[in-house]
């Protein structure tokens, strides 16, 4: 194993530089390297103080997550590295730039002084990986910053700016020049003064006098989110408690290590670490034939963009592009709608200013980057156009014809459709290779997922450009194939259908939603449906011919159909936008869902009309019926090569649909928490119970893999 740190000298200052691109993760070679360099610096009489820093773009951004692998990493552990640094007989200055995260911050806390570049960020993201800062972070951190801050940061995983870190006492000084030179200047200054050894481990916990109250409040806050949630936040809190309650620092460290062991061996930590790598794996796309991929295809430059349609999605998409400095033309068909869209963007910008996320000058810049227009001719110079007009194929085709006629030949034409056929839109253009789907999620300026849909003829260059643009605008771009609903909505349709059947058979909406929330989703299916608006699905079903006179109410196109959602819409219950849907919200746009006797009456009347004997349905059945058809559909999607790997499906569900990260997404959950043989067996069980629902038919790929897993 090569050593991944080097020691050099500038005058009386030793510089220990970590060299492990891209993020200087603290893998075995780094830990070994730091230890060796520190010992050399200690024994070199020419060195009087040491600067510890990272090469390239960052100070160490944490432990090497790929070393975790379900067990503790091999080699000198990080804690012993920290002991070496803290006990060094010469002062050590951490010179932080980039991101000092997790283990990186723990390293900095073992140093005697901390300098931070004004552009750097820091934090303890361990909780998002299902673990805790186990290299003494939970013990040292409340000794440099107030206990309440330490709890908030460690249990949330929030990254903070240099300015905040300084105001919270985490770093001693902010600098804005070359980080190594600043470190050397600071170290020279220290070396010239009488020696003071500042060991964080020997300091008292800040705010310990009010510890009980602080812990009680934090426990209450975390408990409110604990049902169905991950266990790591509460374990982080328990570990920090050790800093106050354990008699010595060493006992606190042991307590921290015991809790870390529990977390590390839990299925949740493994799932959350899988989620971390899955999110990165999706950027490495490839076409199903394997020939064209992210490694061999170059993106085109995107300097300007246009969005067509200034409604809910169009304004959010425009805001996203503007926020990343991309000049954007917003096209509408009518002045009234254009004005409404521009006002909506103005509100989004003002919100950012109010939240102090951007300055007034930056807000002004965003306004100047936006060009509202009623003229398609203004599209002539843009590099990409994203249409977000009504979800109707005829309208979309008309818009694609116009875009094709007016845009320059190299421009990419994208659609934000949530379900419709990208290939059909491409047929009306002379550039099918430049046509692609870019399915943003509402609210588009907030949601991180961007499902990019490749049509049959979409070129590698178009895909590379859109995947690159996704990252640039802060989205997690996932490339998928073209089919009705793509990956996310196609799987959602299965879940939605079963959720509706369950309320026909005996559940009430809040009962189904409660089970889903206990599983870990932030909202149940019916709450989400109310939030999105029930009329959207209604219009889509109408477009598909699923709604109309003469159709049997509970059976359409050869399979069981639930008209419950249609009944809601036909009774004026569109969701939050009309103040009532499955739930009552008190007023139009209200957000707090209350059970509604009117909804329940509509459901019971429907059952009476069809002589349905309602029954008590156990939570286990609710869970299995909501999740297993969705998982089965995921396997079908893999089988049809609409997705090329589990990570794509899992990332879509975790970033776009609220699937709980501590179970790793539907595919990971099926394989690792439930087991494919069990899923397969339950699909067969429900298939026998509900022969009129085709979605219980196990997919061939799932059957095969279940058989293989059963043999192991
Ligand atoms: N371990 C291993 N690999 C890591 C890593 C880590 N801690 N952090 C990043 N990487 C890898 C990524 O997988 C990616 O690899 P790839 O190119 O092969 O896909 C590569 O480094 C670049 O990462 P990003 O694409 O994420 O780069 P960005 O510039 O977008 O983001 C970052 C940089 C903010 C540092 C981000 O990578 C990040 O958040 N990393 C994780 C930080 C973290 O969670 N640290 C805590 C680790 S746990 C810990 O320290 C435990 C300790 O308490 C004992
Ligand atoms: P919306 O009804 O809020 O906005 C559509 C806008 O397009 C309207 O302002 C309308 O005036 C304008 N428009 C219609 N025809 C036009 C034309 N020929 N030229 C210029 N402008 C035209 O619709 P919404 O919700 O924004 O949806 C837009 C698209 O985004 C649809 O395809 C929808 O399926 C998709 N989508 C919607 C999501 C949602 O939650 N609302 C989520 C993801 C995708």
């Amino acid at each position: 194993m090569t050593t991944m740190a080097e020691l050099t000298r500038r005058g009386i200052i030793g510089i220990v530089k970590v060299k492990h691109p891209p993020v200087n993760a603290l893998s075995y070679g780094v830990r070994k390297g730091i230890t060796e360099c520190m010992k050399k610096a200690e024994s070199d009489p020419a060195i009087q103080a040491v600067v510890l820093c990272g090469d390239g773009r960052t100070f160490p951004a944490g432990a090497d997550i790929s070393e975790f692998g379900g067990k503790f990493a091999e080699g000198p552990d990080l804690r012993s590295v920290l002991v070496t640094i803290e006990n060094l007989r010469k002062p050590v200055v951490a010179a932080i730039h980039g991101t000092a995260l997790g283990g990186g911050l723990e390293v900095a806390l073992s140093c005697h002084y901390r300098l931070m570049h004004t552009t750097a960020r820091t934090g303890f993201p361990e909780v998002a990986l299902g673990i805790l800062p186990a290299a003494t972070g939970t013990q040292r951190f409340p000794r440099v910053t107030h206990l309440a801050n330490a709890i908030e940061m460690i249990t949330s995983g929030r990254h903070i700016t240099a300015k905040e870190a300084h105001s919270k006492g985490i770093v001693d000084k902010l600098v804005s020049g070359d980080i190594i030179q600043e470190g050397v200047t600071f170290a020279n200054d220290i070396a010239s003064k009488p020696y003071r050894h500042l060991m964080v481990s020997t300091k008292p916990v800040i705010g310990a006098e009010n510890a009980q109250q602080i812990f009680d409040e934090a426990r209450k806050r975390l408990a409110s989110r604990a049902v169905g949630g991950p266990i790591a936040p509460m374990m982080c809190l328990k570990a920090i408690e050790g800093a106050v309650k354990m008699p010595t620092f060493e006992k606190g460290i042991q307590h921290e290590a015991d809790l870390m062991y529990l977390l590390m061996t839990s299925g949740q930590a493994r799932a959350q670490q899988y989620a971390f790598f899955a999110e990165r794996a999706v950027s490495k796309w490839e076409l199903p034939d394997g020939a064209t991929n992210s490694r061999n295809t170059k993106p085109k430059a995107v300097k300007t963009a246009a969005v067509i349609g200034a409604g809910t999605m169009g304004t959010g998409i425009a805001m996203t592009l503007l926020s990343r400095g991309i000049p954007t033309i917003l096209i509408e068909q009518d002045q009234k709608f254009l004005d409404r869209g521009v006002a909506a963007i103005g509100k989004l910008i003002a919100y950012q200013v109010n939240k102090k996320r951007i300055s007034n000058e930056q807000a002004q810049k965003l306004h100047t980057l936006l060009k509202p227009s009623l003229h398609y001719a203004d599209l002539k110079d843009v590099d990409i156009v994203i249409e977000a007009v009504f979800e109707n194929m005829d309208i979309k085709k008309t818009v694609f014809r116009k875009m094709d006629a007016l845009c320059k030949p190299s421009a990419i034409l994208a659609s934000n459709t949530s379900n419709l056929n990208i290939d059909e839109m491409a047929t009306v253009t002379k550039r099918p290779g430049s046509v692609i789907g870019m399915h943003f999620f509402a609210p588009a300026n907030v949601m991180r997922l961007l499902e990019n849909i490749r049509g049959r003829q979409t070129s590698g260059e178009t895909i590379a450009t859109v995947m690159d643009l996704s990252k640039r605008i802060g989205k997690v771009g996932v490339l998928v194939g073209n089919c009705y609903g793509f990956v996310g909505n196609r799987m959602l349709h299965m879940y939605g259908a079963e959720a509706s059947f369950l309320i026909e058979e005996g559940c009430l909406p809040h009962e189904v939603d409660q089970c889903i929330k206990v599983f870990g989703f932030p909202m149940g299916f019916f709450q989400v449906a109310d939030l999105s608006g029930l009329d959207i699905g209604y219009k889509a079903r109408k477009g598909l011919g699923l709604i109309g006179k003469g159709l049997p109410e509970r059976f359409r196109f050869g399979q069981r159909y639930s008209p419950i959602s249609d009944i809601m819409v036909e009774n004026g219950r569109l969701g939050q936008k009309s103040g009532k849907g499955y739930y009552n919200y008190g007023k139009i746009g209200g957000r707090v869902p209350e059970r509604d006797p009117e909804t329940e009456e509509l459901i019971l009347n429907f059952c009476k009309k069809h002589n349905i004997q309602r029954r008590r349905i156990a939570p286990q059945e609710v869970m299995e019926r909501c999740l297993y058809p969705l998982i089965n559909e995921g396997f079908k999607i893999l089988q049809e090569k609409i997705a090329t790997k589990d990570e794509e499906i899992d990332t879509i569900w975790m970033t776009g649909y609220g699937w709980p990260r501590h179970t790793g997404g539907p595919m990971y959950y099926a394989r690792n928490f439930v087991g494919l043989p069990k899923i397969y067996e339950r699909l067969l069980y429900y298939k026998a119970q509900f022969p009129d629902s085709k979605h219980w038919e196990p997919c061939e790929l799932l059957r095969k893999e279940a058989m293989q897993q059963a043999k192991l």
Side-chain angles (χ1 to χ4, degrees):
M1 170 62 68
T2 50
T3 292
M4 295 168 172
E6 67 170 24
L7 172 67
T8 54
R9 188 162 64 79
R10 256 186 230 180
I12 58 166
I13 307 303
I15 301 168
V16 177
K17 193 188 272 183
V18 175
K19 292 186 136 183
H20 183 25
V23 299
N24 289 321
L26 294 154
S27 27
Y28 172 69
V30 173
R31 300 195 298 273
K32 185 164 173 272
I34 296 178
T35 308
E36 286 172 3
C37 290
M38 287 292 167
K39 287 192 174 152
K40 267 195 227 155
E42 188 167 47
S43 60
D44 184 342
I47 294 177
Q48 291 186 25
V50 180
V51 170
L52 175 61
C53 58
D55 194 26
R57 67 198 223 204
T58 186
F59 195 80
D64 185 339
I65 305 165
S66 64
E67 272 186 357
F68 293 171
K71 59 181 170 61
F72 289 104
E74 315 249 316
D77 77 8
L78 191 52
R79 271 181 283 158
S80 65
V81 179
L82 307 193
V83 171
T84 304
I85 297 173
E86 191 170 60
N87 290 340
L88 212 76
R89 279 174 282 118
K90 293 174 181 175
V92 183
V93 178
I96 302 167
H97 77 299
T99 40
L101 300 172
L105 178 52
E106 288 170 313
V107 167
L109 293 175
S110 73
C111 296
H112 310 116
Y113 299 90
R114 284 164 292 283
L115 288 197
M116 197 175 207
H117 198 273
T118 44
T119 57
R121 297 175 80 81
T122 192
F124 280 113
E126 282 86 344
V127 71
L129 298 165
I131 55 173
L132 51 81
T136 70
T138 64
Q139 307 304 298
R140 279 199 167 94
F141 203 41
R143 289 177 157 88
V144 297
T145 192
H146 194 280
L147 181 60
N149 290 335
I151 292 174
E152 186 277 322
M153 279 185 62
I154 292 177
T155 59
S156 72
R158 187 168 70 89
H159 296 189
I160 60 171
T161 59
K163 197 169 157 205
E164 189 175 348
H166 187 241
S167 73
K168 291 199 153 90
I170 299 161
V171 295
D172 302 296
K173 190 176 173 192
L174 298 184
V175 294
S176 52
D178 172 73
I179 190 68
I180 299 182
Q181 191 47 49
E182 296 273 13
V184 170
T185 306
F186 187 87
N188 267 312
D189 191 36
I190 287 167
S192 69
K193 289 186 181 147
Y195 180 62
R196 269 195 321 142
H197 215 142
L198 299 172
M199 295 169 90
V200 171
S201 62
T202 60
K203 291 183 170 182
V205 169
I206 306 168
E209 60 287 0
N210 295 323
Q212 199 52 52
Q213 188 193 343
I214 295 170
F215 284 122
D216 287 348
E217 280 169 14
R219 188 164 288 109
K220 217 160 124 194
R221 203 176 55 243
L222 295 178
S224 68
R225 283 178 260 144
V227 178
I231 53 176
M234 207 52 114
M235 294 293 219
C236 286
L237 184 67
K238 267 181 186 287
I240 303 167
E241 251 179 327
V244 177
K245 295 195 174 155
M246 290 292 158
T248 61
F249 183 74
E250 285 66 33
K251 287 248 160 38
I253 293 177
Q254 190 49 51
H255 176 62
E256 178 190 88
D258 292 345
L259 293 169
M260 175 66 161
Y261 183 78
L262 277 178
L263 284 174
M264 205 56 153
T265 51
S266 79
Q268 291 195 0
R270 249 171 268 172
Q272 283 172 265
Q273 287 151 26
Y274 161 82
F276 175 85
F277 286 114
E279 212 171 271
R280 279 143 188 93
V282 296
S283 66
K284 296 168 188 81
W285 58 269
E286 70 176 16
L287 295 187
D289 64 7
T292 310
N293 56 48
S294 51
R295 291 178 305 282
N296 64 16
T297 319
K298 289 249 164 317
K300 290 195 281 194
V302 173
K303 295 201 178 114
T304 53
V307 176
I308 304 191
T312 311
M313 295 306 290
T315 49
I317 297 169
M319 178 66 189
T320 308
L321 295 163
L322 295 169
S323 309
R324 302 293 156 144
I326 301 175
T328 303
I329 300 173
L330 182 64
I331 304 258
E332 252 295 341
Q333 56 183 350
D334 184 299
Q335 186 67 49
K336 190 171 74 199
F337 297 133
L338 188 60
D339 292 346
R340 187 191 58 184
V342 171
I345 293 174
K347 264 194 190 164
L348 294 175
I349 296 175
Y351 181 80
Q352 295 295 322
V353 175
N354 284 341
K355 287 271 164 193
K356 298 204 179 352
R357 292 188 192 136
I358 58 171
S359 63
N360 282 320
E361 294 74 55
Q362 284 167 319
Q364 202 43 49
K365 171 101 192 290
L366 296 193
H367 282 291
T368 56
L369 289 175
L370 175 67
K371 184 176 175 205
S373 169
L374 291 174
H375 310 292
Y376 274 73
D378 287 337
L379 295 176
K380 67 181 177 14
D381 294 324
V382 298
D383 298 316
I384 188 166
V385 192
I386 304 168
E387 74 73 18
V389 303
F390 302 130
E391 184 78 341
N392 174 296
M393 184 53 89
D394 291 338
I395 301 178
K396 300 246 188 230
K397 278 184 174 168
T398 309
V399 170
F400 266 83
R401 265 189 213 102
K402 282 193 198 167
M403 296 196 293
D404 190 40
L406 294 164
C407 290
K408 63 184 178 186
S410 60
I412 290 176
L413 311 182
S415 171
N416 178 50
T417 175
S418 13
N419 292 294
L420 301 177
N421 189 337
I422 297 298
D423 287 331
E424 200 175 333
M425 295 175 210
T427 56
V428 301
T429 74
K430 294 192 186 71
R431 58 177 100 189
S434 302
V435 174
I436 192 163
M438 288 178 79
H439 181 206
F440 289 79
F441 286 68
N445 54 313
V446 175
M447 295 292 288
R448 289 169 64 232
L449 178 62
L450 179 49
E451 219 182 10
N452 293 320
I453 301 106
R454 52 181 154 81
R456 220 177 15 245
Q457 297 187 65
T458 309
S459 71
E461 191 185 44
T462 302
I463 295 171
T465 306
V466 161
M467 289 295 279
D468 187 61
L469 179 64
S470 308
K471 182 150 196 201
R472 208 174 127 205
I473 60 176
K475 302 292 178 198
V476 180
V478 186
L479 183 68
V480 301
N482 183 31
C483 61
Y484 190 78
F486 319 122
V487 169
N489 283 346
R490 176 168 160 183
M491 291 166 76
L492 181 71
H493 293 151
M494 297 296 137
Y495 163 30
E498 276 308 313
S500 300
F501 294 151
L502 284 162
I503 61 176
E504 285 182 2
E505 290 168 32
C507 289
L508 290 170
H510 71 278
E511 291 167 336
V512 175
D513 282 355
Q514 183 56 21
C515 286
I516 295 297
K517 283 200 275 193
V518 167
F519 179 72
F521 277 85
M523 279 193 243
F525 177 82
F526 296 108
Q527 263 179 287
V528 176
D530 275 356
L531 178 67
S532 313
L534 303 184
D535 52 324
I536 296 181
Y538 186 82
K539 280 185 204 145
R541 289 191 294 281
K542 227 174 180 169
L544 289 173
L546 280 165
I547 297 174
K549 291 218 161 43
L551 291 166
E553 201 173 11
R554 300 184 58 218
F555 202 79
R556 296 187 189 174
F557 294 164
Q559 38 178 338
R560 182 174 175 191
Y561 177 89
S562 171
I564 293 285
S565 177
D566 304 340
I567 293 172
M568 294 293 146
V569 174
E570 283 155 9
N571 281 278
R573 308 184 72 95
L574 310 186
Q576 289 188 8
K577 62 172 82 163
S578 65
K580 53 187 185 169
Y582 289 103
Y583 295 93
N584 196 324
Y585 297 88
K587 57 176 189 225
I588 290 179
R591 296 192 163 210
V592 184
E594 299 284 349
R595 274 180 68 175
D596 190 339
E598 265 178 47
T599 303
E600 293 171 15
E601 199 182 316
L602 285 170
I603 294 170
L604 295 181
N605 285 345
F606 170 82
C607 292
K608 237 184 246 157
K609 180 175 160 195
H610 292 279
N611 289 323
I612 299 170
Q613 281 296 318
R614 288 175 66 80
R615 63 187 170 96
R616 209 197 138 265
I617 303 177
Q620 185 193 341
E621 180 175 341
V622 175
M623 292 305 307
E624 291 181 344
R625 287 184 57 189
C626 287
L627 302 185
Y628 291 4
L630 173 163
I631 289 167
N632 189 32
E633 201 63 25
F635 276 89
K636 282 188 195 159
I637 281 167
L638 275 184
Q639 184 174 283
E640 293 168 19
K641 297 192 170 25
I642 296 293
T644 56
K645 51 193 175 210
D646 281 5
E647 284 87 342
E648 289 163 347
I649 299 174
D650 287 331
T651 299
I652 285 173
W653 272 81
M654 286 186 285
T655 52
Y657 294 84
W659 187 288
R661 278 175 85 81
H662 58 278
T663 68
M667 309 304 278
Y668 184 92
Y669 171 73
R671 290 185 198 279
N672 299 284
F673 281 78
V674 189
L676 301 186
K678 162 102 189 280
I679 304 241
Y680 179 67
E681 177 241 304
R682 297 306 284 166
L683 287 172
L684 291 181
Y685 168 80
Y686 289 114
K687 182 183 166 192
Q689 302 286 315
F690 306 106
D692 52 358
S693 289
K694 284 191 187 151
H695 57 234
W696 290 111
E697 186 62 52
C699 133
E700 179 53 19
L701 181 67
L702 172 60
R703 189 194 66 77
K704 264 202 210 145
E705 294 202 20
M707 293 303 145
Q708 274 163 10
Q709 228 185 43
K711 277 189 211 140
L712 293 176

